[in-house]
Amino acid sequence: MTLRRKRATLFTMMLFAMLCGRAQYYAPYVVTLDPGQKNGHHRNAIPIPNGPSSAALFLRPKRDSGHVIGDSRLTAGDRALWFCFSQEDYEHEYRLTNAFSSEEYAEIKGHLRKPQTGGGGTTDNHKFVVTVPAVDIDWAGHTSDADEKLEDSYHHFCPITDDWNRKARFIIQKVRDDEEYAESTADRDKLYKVKLIWSTTDLQVFREDGASVAWGSILELENNKPLTLVASPVAPIEAFEIMLQHQREDKDGRRAFDQIKGTTFDAKLRIDSLNEHGTGYPYPDATAEAVKKLTGEQYPGKIIFMNDMDVDGDEIPDFLDGFMAIDGAMGNPAENAAEKITGGAFVKLVVWVSEMPANASLVFDYNANDPATVGAHTLEQAKAKAALCATGNPLNGSIRIWTKDANVPRNKLPVTGGGDFVTPNMPIPLNALGLQGNTGEVVLYVEGISTTPVDWGTDRIKLLVQTEGGAQPVLVDEVGYTVVRCVYKVCVYRPYTYDRNTGSRSIYRPNYDSPAKMLNSYATAQVLFDRYDGSDVRHNTAAFMGHAFAKVEIRTPGMNTSCWTGHTGLEGKKMTQGSLAALKGGTALWYRADDGEEDEQAKTERRYANLYAAKTANIAYWGMDKGIQRKLVAVREFRVMPKTAKTIDEFRTQGNPQGDPMGYPFGGYGLDVTMRTANDSRSGCGSYVGLMTQRSGLVTNTRDWTLGGNLGEKYMPVIPLRDVTYTHIGLGADYTLYLTGLGRPLRSAFRSIATQAAKSIANHQLSQVWQPAPAPVPNEVRPLNFFDPSQMADWIDTQNQSTPCKLDGLDYKDRGTEIRYDVPQTDDLGQWRNRPL
């Protein structure tokens, strides 16, 4: 609080105390009953101090009037708090017990009489009425008898908020006084008028229609009906009071009064509601503050990924990692199994408080998964539970809130019990969350567990404050979030040569020194690859050219899709035993995909399961390259924002040969080397996956995926093969005959291609060396921007360096997870659409 504000508040509190005029001691209050007073009516305003107290009201006849009190009785009072203590001729005493400042209302009726001399009875009977008036002010929602007893010690929380509906309300109850016995017109005019003052300049008061109420205002209760007002603090206030005074005075100048107490502080939740900072720190932002409670796809709140990943490569799904032991987990050298998630990060949630009462506790209301209720798991059980995440939510609750990040060991017990889990709907002292003092901030960490089922932003984290043990927690702020599962897996068969005698493989590297060598390398490899027949015992120089495919999984509000996607693959008569056997035997063949058709999902999924997901103890399924052990399939897994996932899905679902602007810009698939074909619009499996990834913005620099990292700006010659008609990779008729077993082996076609290609290349000016791109020449050159599976596999290995996995003593880099909370700019792929024919 600033010095200016402190001085202003101190001055106001001094003036407030003077105006209250309340007694700080317990004393009798005397009512003098004057038989000459009109209507015999008397009023006494009794200033009862804070807290329960007792008062004694003495009724006495006017001295020297010769009257005594004939009788009196209590005709009205507060909850039987008043009672007649004693009655003598010259004094009747009434007592008030356990009363509070708004509970002094009473009405006592009786008679005065004047005894005749000589015992001849009484004369001159006079009726009297004694009234103790009362005013009453209460916080809305705190108007019961129990609340009244706590009123003078209870501090109601008044949030600092621009939300009109969440501002604190208080009620001026109807005045209890007697209009019938008002002694004057002026006195009657004041009957339902009250004065409102408060103890700090940091508080504003409004009517429900938004009209401001000035400090010291005289308010008239229309028809003596209750009046609701709004308390709106403009700055944190540790404690304040609002006092109500009746404007009708008694003969001693006293007025009935009542007061309520309040407190306020700034308390906010802050999360990255604009989805601009990923798992980074959410800095204060006015726009984010304005939208953090909105809903709908445009305002999803914070997008949180379902934490079923394995970013540290220890085979433990991350929602079971870091807080409990997993039986059978080996772990990596950099960490003990289940101790933490190396390289992991949760979404940050900032709790900020200012001028918090010393006895306050925070309460978090959210749909939680309590880690203490997650039972013991073996490694196989943990992996099986992770597999269920592709189609549903295996755990209940949507999120967990921790006091520690993912890359730090966490204790699954509640913070109130020495752990790190923020238990929902439980009062948590400030120091248990790491808040020292009553002002400051603490960063908590949100882990996504189950996807949001209904609508964007409807899941909520609510912050409530409990200012004392018995008080009801008060909602002070909330933020919306949406848990999603958007997975994109790039999968690549490693190109290889195969030795049938030893069962070993090695990576095949095409020669990209020049366009001529590149094309010859591809053609020669295809010839050698197809040389297998019964008389051959080995073909260690033959090369499987690799294959790229992908998987897209999207589970968001309103969308649930999962598919394998790829174009080209391994097919043919000899593959009836499945791709695993064909690859092991070295008999894998290229297959032709019709324009716009995808690979069969079941086959693609089977390849992934057999050659990547399953453990493969046989060395035949591994490749040797520079001493690094690798599985045959390399995988890079992206967790992406919903917008990015939709871009990927639109690429595969909306693409067509006409070049739909949202889809891929070509119509058929074959070898990744772009050759002249029937409609000059072919590309291969690697190009399909590469362009889909490039289109999404996940790889914004084309060079990251092109050969050697620097060929994106080079051109390659188109090799027109005039006397051989082929569609994707080989002969039309001959290819069909080959697949049916009625024709010659496909190697004959590739020998023809290689021979004719060599002649054409030799005569082409750009064929011997790579050169900067010239102006396009129709039918001669086009951009070299293809994606080669061997290069893609190298790229995956490089990217996966951060998450190596060690299994069965083998250190391999065939998988990795990249979490992309950003929404990258999509690539329009214009260079593909606009390339010359």
Side-chain angles (χ1 to χ4, degrees):
M1 189 180 294
T2 65
L3 181 59
R4 178 199 62 78
R5 184 170 289 156
K6 287 183 177 179
R7 288 174 175 170
T9 301
L10 180 60
F11 170 77
T12 309
M13 293 182 69
M14 292 173 61
L15 182 58
F16 178 81
M18 288 174 17
L19 288 170
C20 286
R22 57 179 180 246
Q24 298 302 315
Y25 56 92
Y26 305 132
Y29 299 98
V30 178
V31 176
T32 301
L33 303 176
D34 186 353
Q37 185 175 352
K38 182 180 179 181
N39 296 328
H41 177 252
H42 302 264
R43 296 177 69 258
N44 268 61
I46 302 177
I48 298 178
N50 292 348
S53 58
S54 298
L57 186 65
F58 293 92
L59 310 183
R60 296 171 183 171
K62 185 178 180 182
R63 183 177 298 180
D64 300 330
S65 68
H67 287 74
V68 296
I69 304 176
D71 63 78
S72 68
R73 67 191 184 282
L74 185 68
T75 57
D78 269 320
R79 298 185 296 107
L81 295 175
W82 286 97
F83 69 96
C84 182
F85 182 73
S86 65
Q87 292 185 340
E88 303 287 344
D89 284 347
Y90 292 98
E91 181 180 88
H92 285 195
E93 180 182 355
Y94 286 83
R95 289 190 178 179
L96 177 67
T97 59
N98 298 320
F100 292 79
S101 58
S102 61
E103 297 184 328
E104 67 270 29
Y105 174 68
E107 182 184 74
I108 303 169
K109 293 183 178 181
H111 292 81
L112 291 177
R113 64 182 178 84
K114 188 174 184 180
Q116 290 184 348
T117 57
T122 61
T123 62
D124 197 20
N125 271 346
H126 295 274
K127 293 180 180 180
F128 67 85
V129 177
V130 173
T131 301
V132 179
V135 293
D136 190 9
I137 183 172
D138 298 305
W139 290 110
H142 291 262
T143 58
S144 68
D145 289 348
D147 293 322
E148 199 71 45
K149 288 184 176 181
L150 295 172
E151 183 175 276
D152 290 330
S153 60
Y154 170 69
H155 286 75
H156 187 73
F157 172 67
C158 301
I160 300 174
T161 177
D162 293 329
D163 187 344
W164 184 257
N165 294 323
R166 289 185 49 214
K167 291 181 182 293
R169 265 72 173 171
F170 62 92
I171 304 171
I172 299 176
Q173 308 287 7
K174 63 182 182 178
V175 176
R176 290 174 291 177
D177 205 349
D178 288 317
E179 180 180 7
E180 179 182 357
Y181 300 106
E183 298 175 359
S184 66
T185 301
D187 194 37
R188 183 177 286 108
D189 290 341
K190 295 179 180 178
L191 190 64
Y192 303 136
K193 291 182 178 180
V194 291
K195 184 177 184 178
L196 195 67
I197 60 175
W198 48 90
S199 62
T200 173
T201 57
D202 287 330
L203 179 69
Q204 295 177 342
V205 176
F206 298 92
R207 293 180 181 269
E208 281 284 17
D209 61 5
S212 177
V213 176
W215 185 91
S217 291
I218 305 299
L219 305 174
E220 182 171 356
L221 302 184
E222 184 178 354
N223 297 322
N224 202 21
K225 292 182 178 179
L227 174 64
T228 299
L229 299 176
V230 178
S232 180
V234 296
I237 312 167
E238 187 171 356
F240 65 87
E241 297 175 346
I242 302 175
M243 193 191 79
L244 187 70
Q245 282 185 329
H246 194 186
Q247 288 306 287
R248 196 173 174 209
E249 299 178 350
D250 68 6
K251 64 183 181 63
D252 296 321
R254 292 188 297 252
R255 298 173 179 174
F257 77 92
D258 189 22
Q259 63 186 357
I260 52 177
K261 297 181 178 182
T263 182
T264 188
F265 48 87
D266 228 349
K268 293 186 183 300
L269 288 178
R270 200 166 68 239
I271 202 167
D272 179 25
S273 299
L274 296 178
N275 294 294
E276 295 178 337
H277 303 294
T279 57
Y281 179 81
Y283 291 94
D285 184 283
T287 304
E289 185 70 19
V291 305
K292 69 181 182 181
K293 289 177 283 188
L294 301 180
T295 60
E297 190 167 3
Q298 186 178 357
Y299 302 106
K302 177 60 180 176
I303 297 293
I304 301 173
F305 292 149
M306 186 179 184
N307 195 37
D308 62 316
M309 299 163 277
D310 181 17
V311 300
D312 53 357
D314 61 0
E315 292 198 291
I316 304 172
D318 290 343
F319 58 57
L320 297 176
D321 202 355
F323 63 89
M324 68 177 189
I326 299 293
D327 186 24
M330 296 177 60
N332 281 324
E335 63 175 87
N336 294 322
E339 180 186 71
K340 58 186 176 181
I341 305 174
T342 302
F346 295 146
V347 168
K348 292 177 176 59
L349 173 71
V350 175
V351 182
W352 183 85
V353 299
S354 179
E355 303 293 338
M356 184 74 72
N359 63 348
S361 296
L362 300 182
V363 178
F364 295 84
D365 180 6
Y366 68 100
N367 183 16
N369 173 265
D370 188 342
T373 64
V374 178
H377 283 69
T378 66
L379 181 60
E380 293 307 313
Q381 289 173 330
K383 293 166 68 174
K385 188 157 287 185
L388 296 175
C389 295
T391 56
N393 297 322
L395 297 177
N396 60 2
S398 60
I399 58 172
R400 300 179 188 135
I401 300 180
W402 300 90
T403 59
K404 293 180 180 176
D405 209 346
N407 60 350
V408 179
R410 284 161 283 127
N411 186 325
K412 64 183 178 181
L413 294 177
V415 293
T416 52
D420 301 312
F421 177 65
V422 178
T423 307
N425 301 314
M426 176 181 290
I428 302 175
L430 302 183
N431 58 5
L433 291 173
L435 283 163
Q436 303 301 323
N438 65 349
T439 298
E441 73 173 34
V442 64
V443 178
L444 302 178
Y445 302 90
V446 183
E447 176 186 11
I449 300 298
S450 298
T451 55
T452 300
V454 181
D455 200 1
W456 299 88
T458 54
D459 281 339
R460 286 283 192 264
I461 302 172
K462 298 180 180 180
L463 176 65
L464 301 92
V465 174
Q466 183 169 302
T467 54
E468 55 187 69
Q472 189 72 17
V474 178
L475 176 66
V476 296
D477 201 9
E478 61 185 282
V479 293
Y481 66 89
T482 303
V483 181
V484 303
R485 189 176 189 274
C486 298
V487 181
Y488 177 53
K489 292 181 180 179
V490 177
C491 308
V492 181
Y493 280 145
R494 300 181 187 280
Y496 70 94
T497 59
Y498 174 71
D499 188 326
R500 294 185 65 228
N501 290 341
T502 63
S504 64
R505 307 179 188 277
S506 60
I507 303 299
Y508 175 77
R509 300 293 182 192
N511 188 330
Y512 295 110
D513 290 343
S514 71
K517 291 180 180 179
M518 178 189 70
L519 187 58
N520 278 324
S521 181
Y522 269 83
T524 301
Q526 289 293 350
V527 172
L528 295 174
F529 184 73
D530 196 53
R531 284 187 59 189
Y532 171 72
D533 55 42
S535 61
D536 289 341
V537 294
R538 57 187 295 153
H539 52 220
N540 59 308
T541 58
F544 165 54
M545 299 306 294
H547 181 54
F549 56 100
K551 189 177 186 185
V552 183
E553 302 173 18
I554 305 175
R555 195 159 72 248
T556 63
M559 188 172 187
N560 190 343
T561 184
S562 175
C563 69
W564 291 95
T565 183
H567 288 263
T568 74
L570 301 170
E571 187 59 64
K573 184 178 179 180
K574 294 183 179 180
M575 290 191 61
T576 56
Q577 302 300 317
S579 60
L580 181 61
L583 286 167
K584 182 179 178 181
T587 59
L589 307 174
W590 289 99
Y591 103 105
R592 177 188 184 282
D594 293 333
D595 286 1
E597 291 185 359
E598 290 183 289
D599 292 351
E600 292 184 33
Q601 293 204 26
K603 290 183 178 179
T604 304
E605 183 175 6
R606 192 160 56 246
R607 293 166 190 156
Y608 174 85
N610 289 340
L611 299 179
Y612 166 69
K615 284 188 175 182
T616 51
N618 191 332
I619 193 64
Y621 304 124
W622 298 74
M624 293 295 296
D625 182 43
K626 300 179 181 178
I628 300 175
Q629 291 282 356
R630 308 180 185 189
K631 282 190 175 181
L632 186 59
V633 175
V635 177
R636 182 67 176 171
E637 179 178 306
F638 294 92
R639 291 300 170 106
V640 297
M641 294 293 283
K643 178 180 177 181
T644 305
K646 288 182 69 175
T647 299
I648 295 171
D649 189 62
E650 287 167 351
F651 183 96
R652 58 167 291 271
T653 58
Q654 298 184 25
N656 55 51
Q658 285 71 44
D660 188 298
M662 294 300 294
Y664 49 78
F666 41 82
Y669 304 90
L671 282 177
D672 284 289
V673 179
T674 302
M675 296 182 181
R676 183 176 178 83
T677 61
N679 58 12
D680 283 310
S681 181
R682 307 297 183 204
S683 188
C685 59
S687 292
Y688 170 70
V689 175
L691 286 171
M692 183 160 56
T693 309
Q694 181 179 322
R695 164 68 184 169
S696 70
L698 294 173
V699 180
T700 56
N701 185 352
T702 304
R703 297 181 185 180
D704 290 342
W705 283 60
T706 51
L707 311 179
N710 63 355
L711 299 183
E713 297 176 357
K714 304 292 178 73
Y715 273 48
M716 65 164 288
V718 173
I719 310 303
L721 304 179
R722 307 291 182 187
D723 56 348
V724 178
T725 302
Y726 61 94
T727 53
H728 294 274
I729 62 167
L731 306 177
D734 286 354
Y735 185 72
T736 303
L737 292 174
Y738 173 79
L739 290 180
T740 60
L742 301 177
R744 57 186 175 137
L746 190 62
R747 68 175 185 272
S748 299
F750 277 105
R751 285 173 179 154
S752 175
I753 293 171
T755 300
Q756 296 180 60
K759 295 178 181 178
S760 181
I761 288 174
N763 297 324
H764 201 287
Q765 60 179 345
L766 298 180
S767 64
Q768 302 306 313
V769 294
W770 296 108
Q771 299 181 18
V777 179
N779 298 320
E780 292 187 4
V781 294
R782 66 176 50 172
L784 173 65
N785 193 6
F786 67 90
F787 298 83
D788 173 32
S790 68
Q791 298 292 328
M792 293 172 71
D794 286 346
W795 172 80
I796 287 176
D797 290 337
T798 301
Q799 297 298 309
N800 289 348
Q801 290 284 350
S802 59
T803 55
C805 187
K806 197 175 190 68
L807 289 176
D808 302 326
L810 299 175
D811 185 11
Y812 64 94
K813 306 177 182 66
D814 61 80
R815 52 87 52 218
T817 301
E818 183 171 336
I819 303 173
R820 294 293 296 268
Y821 267 101
D822 58 334
V823 182
Q825 293 294 321
T826 57
D827 190 326
D828 65 3
L829 303 179
Q831 60 181 327
W832 277 87
R833 292 193 186 89
N834 301 322
R835 61 183 179 168
L837 297 178

